[in-house]
């Protein structure tokens, strides 16, 4: 049975992350802010109006890198301490206060990129020849030149950054602080409900009556907040559209894809091919779930159930380490040492508590170590999620060792490749360990239900919906709850067809994801998994040489474009073939599930 969540103060400290590696005390944190403010003031006094030659450019870059190095841990501490308990007044006030401070510092520092942008490209190119360390940063600056505004405008925009970014904070406050769920009732018995318990338990509950009752209660509460959440989202969209126009982009898509270093065709291809070619495979999977569970009809509320819930083992946090170590051993000793440290040094927040952010993420502050947030329920899905987040951690652990603070982060398009790679390695390892049909079906269904469903269905359907939203915004329109509900329902019905009933409440799914406040992020999950699926096949076939190539990709950080990074790993994402191959592979996995189910059922009859 799913239990109600305790307050943060009641959870086991050993299941929480150790933020002392960022700052040991509040006094140390406040002193770091004072030092940062002083350094920014000195930087402004020394360089404002004086960046006129190669020597000044390189000295200013040294100073700017130092400031960024101090800003990162402060921002990370502020964000992480808030993310584990958004009901905590102290964390709320700290986040609000630092938001204002960061806006002020951003405004003071805005002269730097503005003045560099006004320097001739020839002078910037000369500076590049004198410093390999800052070559990528200066190349990117030249690429951004056409979209830079007058220095005073840039300064004003930077000063307003905390206000302009407020919709995301408002979304989280509505979702995690104001939205309190009532218990739901089945056969006279009441059960507790929250965002975390629904997404981490009730959504995949094997008892159909309880699952559907939880679904109805959860979405009834969402519906109460739909208009506030829609207005919050529309504010964010209008900000992006205005920024796109001000900076001279042809459309909001070009603006949002610019920093991803991919063109519109790669974005559209990812959505269009999956909507067309993956849908038939996933409908077959849905019908298999319906058959195995003997459901009267297959509804949207049934899509997250396990194919064989009785086979699902409960896994402790400690036990998860052996699964992950064994699966990722092929990555080498240094990678395994990082994983070992993550457990020993409490890099991960496993606890379940009220007010904690939903889902999972990895934050990788430069100069410290990664931090992972997850709410541990003890399912195999948690092991896959943890392996996924450790993929992000391993990416930046490697990149930070080989790149400076400007060069360590790759395009968002590529960001989910290292994380989903770890899920593929986990699946391949489990599959190699047994020929038992029930075990194989359990592993394959875990891959389909967790890795591919999550990245190729959940997030891709977000992306298809998001594209429709931006098309509306780009045409000068706006959105409200009714519009968003209609767009979301339309995408779900297009993908699932007549094989899945899109029951009432499914249209509110847009309210659940924070990704919509992060640009064109949702489609990148399937893009990353396309890359990692193909590279994991290479690793299976070639072994160590493919692993070495992949480690070099991780170490390259942001020094290459997504296409260049993929090419280093042996995948050509400039064509549609890797994506089509990955979709075909998902189809093969689902066919195997059907065959294994028939084999298991035949054995039970005999």
């Amino acid at each position: 049975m799913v239990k109600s969540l305790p307050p943060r103060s009641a959870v086991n400290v050993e299941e929480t992350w150790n933020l002392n590696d960022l700052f040991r005390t509040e006094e140390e944190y406040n002193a770091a802010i004072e030092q940062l403010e002083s350094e920014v003031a000195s930087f402004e006094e020394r360089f404002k109006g004086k960046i006129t030659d190669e020597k000044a450019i390189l000295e200013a870059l040294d100073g700017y890198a130092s400031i960024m190095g101090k800003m990162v841990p402060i921002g990370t501490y502020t964000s992480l301490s808030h993310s584990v308990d958004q009901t905590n007044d102290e964390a709320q006030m700290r986040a609000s206060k630092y938001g204002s401070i960061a806006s002020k510092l951003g405004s003071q520092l805005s002269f730097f990129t503005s003045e560099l942008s006004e320097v001739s490209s020839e002078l910037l190119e000369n500076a590049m020849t004198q410093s390999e360390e800052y070559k990528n940063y200066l190349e990117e600056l030249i690429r951004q030149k056409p979209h830079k505004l007058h220095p005073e405008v840039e300064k004003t925009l930077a000063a307003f950054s905390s206000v302009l970014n407020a919709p995301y904070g408002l979304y989280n406050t509505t979702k995690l602080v104001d939205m309190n769920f009532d218990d739901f009732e089945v056969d006279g018995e009441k059960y507790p409900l929250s965002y975390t318990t629904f997404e981490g338990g009730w959504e995949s509950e094997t008892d159909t009556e309880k699952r559907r009752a939880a679904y109805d209660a959860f979405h009834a509460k969402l519906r109460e907040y739909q208009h506030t959440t829609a207005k919050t989202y529309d504010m964010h969209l209008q900000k992006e559209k205005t920024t796109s126009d001000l900076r001279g982009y042809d459309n909001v898509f070009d603006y949002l894809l610019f920093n991803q270093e991919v063109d519109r065709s790669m974005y559209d291809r990812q959505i269009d091919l999956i909507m067309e070619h993956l849908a038939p495979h996933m409908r077959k999977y849905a019908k298999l779930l319906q058959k195995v569970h003997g459901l009267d009809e297959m509804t949207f509320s049934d899509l997250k159930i396990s194919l064989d819930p009785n086979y699902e083992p409960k896994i402790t946090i400690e036990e998860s380490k052996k699964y992950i170590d064994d699966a990722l051993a092929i990555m080498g000793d240094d990678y395994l040492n990082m994983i070992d440290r993550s457990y020993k040094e409490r890099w991960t927040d496993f606890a379940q508590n009220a007010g904690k952010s939903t889902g999972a993420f990895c934050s990788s502050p430069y100069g410290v170590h990664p931090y992972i947030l997850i709410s541990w329920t003890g399912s195999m899905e948690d092991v896959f999620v943890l392996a996924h987040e450790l993929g992000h951690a391993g990416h930046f652990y490697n990149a930070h060792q080989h790149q400076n603070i400007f060069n360590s982060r790759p395009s968002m398009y590529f960001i989910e490749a290292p994380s989903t790679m770890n899920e593929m390695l986990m699946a391949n390892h489990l599959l190699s360990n047994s020929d038992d049909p029930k075990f194989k079906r359990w592993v394959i269904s875990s891959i389909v239900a967790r890795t591919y469903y999550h990245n190729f269905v959940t997030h891709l359907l977000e992306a298809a919906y998001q594209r429709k939203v931006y098309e509306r915004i780009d045409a000068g329109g706006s959105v409200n709850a009714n519009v968003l509900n209609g767009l979301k329902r339309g995408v779900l019905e297009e993908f699932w067809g007549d094989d899945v009933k899109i029951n009432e409440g499914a249209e509110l799914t847009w309210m659940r994801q924070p990704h919509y406040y992060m640009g064109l992020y949702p489609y990148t999950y399937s893009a990353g998994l396309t890359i990692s699926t193909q590279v994991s096949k290479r690793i299976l076939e070639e072994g160590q040489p493919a692993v070495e190539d992949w480690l070099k990709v991780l170490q390259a950080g942001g020094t290459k474009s997504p296409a260049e990074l993929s090419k280093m790993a042996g995948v050509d994402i400039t064509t549609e073939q890797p994506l089509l191959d990955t979709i075909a592979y998902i189809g093969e996995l689902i066919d195997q599930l059907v065959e294994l189910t028939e084999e298991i059922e035949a054995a039970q009859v005999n």
Side-chain angles (χ1 to χ4, degrees), residues 517-534:
Y517 297 85
M518 304 172 188
L520 297 178
Y521 187 17
Y523 90 103
T524 66
Y525 280 85
S526 63
L529 184 50
T530 299
I531 296 164
S532 61
T533 297
Q534 300 308 312

Side-chain angles (χ1 to χ4, degrees), residues 298-512:
M298 189 66 191
T299 75
F300 186 79
S301 63
D302 303 317
L303 287 167
K304 291 295 184 74
I305 52 178
S306 171
L307 190 60
D308 190 357
N310 296 323
Y311 202 88
E312 187 88 5
K314 294 300 287 184
I315 299 167
T316 66
I317 293 169
E318 186 57 36
E319 288 168 344
S320 71
K321 186 175 185 300
K322 177 164 173 49
Y323 275 101
I324 289 172
D325 279 350
D326 289 349
L328 302 183
I330 193 169
M331 294 294 290
D333 291 342
D334 187 53
Y335 202 97
L336 285 187
N337 179 58
M338 176 211 71
I339 292 170
D340 189 52
R341 287 184 59 198
S342 77
Y343 282 87
K344 284 182 178 176
E345 299 172 17
R346 288 174 43 214
W347 295 3
T348 304
D349 200 274
F350 293 100
Q352 289 195 64
N353 61 265
K356 184 174 179 178
S357 292
T358 59
F361 66 73
C362 177
S363 176
S364 298
Y366 193 90
V368 194
H369 60 69
Y371 281 93
I372 292 169
L373 179 142
I374 182 175
S375 293
W376 192 262
T377 65
S379 68
M380 190 63 197
E381 179 170 346
D382 288 347
V383 182
F384 275 91
V385 173
L386 183 56
H388 176 106
E389 299 307 335
L390 283 166
H392 288 304
H395 187 185
F396 290 104
Y397 175 82
N398 275 277
H400 290 172
Q401 287 180 322
H402 292 83
Q403 306 297 337
N404 66 30
I405 196 167
F406 298 131
N407 294 348
S408 64
R409 191 170 187 82
S411 155
M412 187 187 286
Y413 184 94
F414 194 84
I415 213 78
E416 294 297 338
S419 54
T420 53
M421 167 62 86
N422 277 13
E423 293 190 58
M424 296 308 301
L425 294 177
M426 172 70 67
N428 291 342
H429 168 71
L430 290 172
L431 280 173
S432 69
N433 274 343
S434 175
D435 290 324
D436 176 64
K438 291 200 78 171
F439 182 82
K440 286 186 71 174
R441 185 175 71 163
W442 169 66
V443 174
I444 294 171
S445 65
S446 295
I447 304 168
V448 172
R450 159 60 212 170
T451 301
Y452 285 110
Y453 191 102
H454 188 67
N455 298 292
F456 260 74
V457 180
T458 298
H459 291 317
L460 195 280
L461 293 181
E462 288 178 37
Y465 151 83
Q466 188 184 42
R467 183 170 63 175
K468 291 181 183 295
V469 170
Y470 278 117
E471 285 170 349
R472 186 181 177 93
I473 296 299
D474 215 38
S478 58
V479 296
N480 62 18
N482 291 333
V483 168
L484 296 174
N485 289 345
L487 292 175
K488 186 64 183 180
R489 175 170 283 276
V491 167
L492 293 174
E493 289 175 343
E494 179 187 351
F495 188 82
W496 292 110
D498 296 330
D499 294 296
V500 176
K501 177 185 176 183
I502 308 303
N503 42 336
E504 188 177 343
E507 71 279 1
L508 298 169
T509 306
W510 62 268
M511 294 179 65
R512 293 168 56 181

Side-chain angles (χ1 to χ4, degrees), residues 192-398:
L193 182 65
S194 68
Y195 241 106
T196 302
T197 58
F198 179 74
E199 294 186 343
W202 292 123
E203 194 173 26
S204 56
E205 165 66 39
T206 54
D207 184 311
T208 298
E209 196 173 355
K210 289 178 185 175
R211 181 178 66 254
R212 291 179 177 176
Y215 173 93
D216 290 340
F218 179 77
H219 288 88
K221 178 59 67 173
L222 289 190
R223 195 174 299 284
E224 293 176 18
Y225 290 85
Q226 62 177 324
H227 298 295
T228 299
T229 307
K231 188 62 182 176
T232 302
Y233 184 36
D234 188 54
M235 288 162 52
H236 174 76
L237 294 166
Q238 299 302 333
K239 177 201 78 171
E240 289 180 317
K241 173 59 176 168
T242 302
T243 304
S244 167
D245 291 343
L246 282 174
R247 295 197 178 279
Y249 290 91
D250 290 340
N251 54 68
V252 73
F253 292 98
D254 287 351
Y255 163 58
L256 294 171
L257 289 170
F258 185 85
N259 286 335
Q260 292 188 20
E261 299 178 77
V262 296
D263 60 29
R264 179 73 183 272
S265 67
M266 290 175 69
Y267 165 75
D268 285 332
R269 182 177 71 209
Q270 203 69 27
I271 297 171
D272 293 338
L273 290 182
I274 293 176
M275 288 295 289
E276 178 183 356
H277 295 284
L278 181 63
H281 297 305
M282 294 311 301
R283 291 175 191 175
K284 181 189 286 189
Y285 174 69
K287 298 306 284 185
L288 178 63
L289 286 176
Q290 181 182 1
K291 174 176 176 272
V292 169
H293 286 274
L295 301 176
D296 55 337
E297 60 179 351
M298 189 66 191
T299 75
F300 186 79
S301 63
D302 303 317
L303 287 167
K304 291 295 184 74
I305 52 178
S306 171
L307 190 60
D308 190 357
N310 296 323
Y311 202 88
E312 187 88 5
K314 294 300 287 184
I315 299 167
T316 66
I317 293 169
E318 186 57 36
E319 288 168 344
S320 71
K321 186 175 185 300
K322 177 164 173 49
Y323 275 101
I324 289 172
D325 279 350
D326 289 349
L328 302 183
I330 193 169
M331 294 294 290
D333 291 342
D334 187 53
Y335 202 97
L336 285 187
N337 179 58
M338 176 211 71
I339 292 170
D340 189 52
R341 287 184 59 198
S342 77
Y343 282 87
K344 284 182 178 176
E345 299 172 17
R346 288 174 43 214
W347 295 3
T348 304
D349 200 274
F350 293 100
Q352 289 195 64
N353 61 265
K356 184 174 179 178
S357 292
T358 59
F361 66 73
C362 177
S363 176
S364 298
Y366 193 90
V368 194
H369 60 69
Y371 281 93
I372 292 169
L373 179 142
I374 182 175
S375 293
W376 192 262
T377 65
S379 68
M380 190 63 197
E381 179 170 346
D382 288 347
V383 182
F384 275 91
V385 173
L386 183 56
H388 176 106
E389 299 307 335
L390 283 166
H392 288 304
H395 187 185
F396 290 104
Y397 175 82
N398 275 277

Side-chain angles (χ1 to χ4, degrees), residues 13-33:
V13 173
E14 289 303 309
E15 293 184 6
T16 67
W17 52 28
N18 178 19
L19 297 185
N20 289 343
D21 291 342
L22 291 164
F23 296 102
R24 285 168 294 182
T25 64
E26 195 72 18
E27 290 73 23
E28 191 177 297
Y29 167 80
N30 289 323
I33 292 178

Side-chain angles (χ1 to χ4, degrees), residues 146-184:
H147 303 291
K148 281 289 182 182
L149 303 174
H150 187 280
E152 287 304 313
V153 177
E154 295 287 359
K155 183 176 181 179
T156 303
L157 287 174
F160 273 103
S161 62
S162 65
V163 177
L164 295 174
N165 293 328
Y168 181 47
L170 179 56
Y171 165 78
N172 275 322
T173 300
T174 304
K175 173 180 173 180
L176 298 171
V177 181
D178 282 345
M179 205 179 288
N180 290 311
F181 295 82
D182 298 325
D183 294 349
F184 67 94

